[in-house]
């Protein structure tokens, strides 16, 4: 629950976009964000769509572009018609968007959210980033 009065918060509405990098603590953040879906915690709208990037046979996803397009389609809907005091959460995971090639999508979503007078907050979680990079 909110412990800071709304008048002291910098934004009244927006979208928190969480990009989940595997093995960096993202599951814990995702679980924490999902708690806000509950009515007693704010009933925040939550969107995610993803598929595994590596199949059981060790092969990579056969059509990652299709997966990304499906995520983008859902995200485009998710960010529309934000209420003046409404927050929403979006969870992106590996095959949903690729940070090294999705700048145009992120900029488009930010523009759409800001055009509604709201804020887009992009976030990631890094746990032991040096160890993760070396593994």
């Amino acid at each position: 629950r909110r412990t800071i009065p709304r008048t002291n918060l910098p934004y009244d509405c927006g979208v928190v976009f969480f990009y989940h990098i595997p093995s960096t603590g993202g599951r814990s953040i995702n679980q924490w964000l999902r708690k806000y879906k509950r009515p007693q915690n704010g009933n925040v709208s939550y969107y995610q769509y993803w598929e595994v990037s590596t199949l059981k046979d060790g092969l990579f996803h056969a059509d990652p572009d299709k997966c990304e397009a499906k995520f983008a389609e859902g995200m485009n809907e998710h960010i529309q018609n934000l209420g003046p005091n409404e927050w929403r959460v979006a969870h992106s995971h590996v095959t949903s968007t690729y940070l090294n090639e999705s700048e145009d999508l992120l900029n488009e979503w930010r523009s759409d959210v800001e055009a509604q007078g709201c804020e887009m907050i992009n976030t990631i979680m890094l746990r032991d980033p040096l160890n993760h990079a070396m593994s």
Side-chain angles (χ1 to χ4, degrees), residues 51-121:
E51 296 179 22
V52 295
S53 57
T54 308
L55 307 175
K56 289 181 181 180
D57 59 8
L59 297 175
F60 290 110
H61 192 284
D63 195 354
D65 291 336
K66 182 179 177 183
C67 188
E68 183 179 38
K70 190 163 183 169
F71 177 82
E73 181 181 325
M75 184 67 180
N76 287 335
E77 289 179 26
H78 185 63
I79 63 172
Q80 298 305 312
N81 303 313
L82 285 161
N85 295 304
E86 181 179 9
W87 282 91
R88 299 179 187 173
V89 173
H91 172 219
S92 174
H93 191 282
V94 186
T95 54
S96 306
T97 52
Y98 298 90
L99 288 182
N100 62 337
E101 59 185 43
S102 299
E103 186 176 356
D104 58 328
L105 288 173
L106 294 169
N107 285 330
E108 178 185 325
W109 294 331
R110 179 179 296 283
S111 294
D112 287 349
V113 170
E114 289 178 352
Q116 298 174 68
C118 299
E119 186 67 28
M120 176 95 170
I121 298 173

Side-chain angles (χ1 to χ4, degrees), residues 3-4 15 41 46 49-50 69 76 79 81 118:
T3 57
I4 302 171
V15 175
N41 294 336
Y46 185 94
Y49 175 83
W50 62 279
N76 287 335
I79 63 172
N81 303 313
C118 299

Side-chain angles (χ1 to χ4, degrees), residues 10-30:
Y11 313 110
D12 290 327
C13 59
V15 175
V16 175
F17 180 87
F18 173 58
Y19 186 82
H20 183 164
I21 299 171
S23 302
T24 61
R27 183 172 184 261
S28 298
I29 298 298
N30 184 38

Side-chain angles (χ1 to χ4, degrees), residues 35-49:
K35 289 180 184 178
Y36 289 94
K37 287 175 45 176
R38 299 179 189 147
Q40 69 269 25
N41 294 336
N43 208 28
V44 171
S45 175
Y46 185 94
Y47 172 70
Q48 76 173 5
Y49 175 83

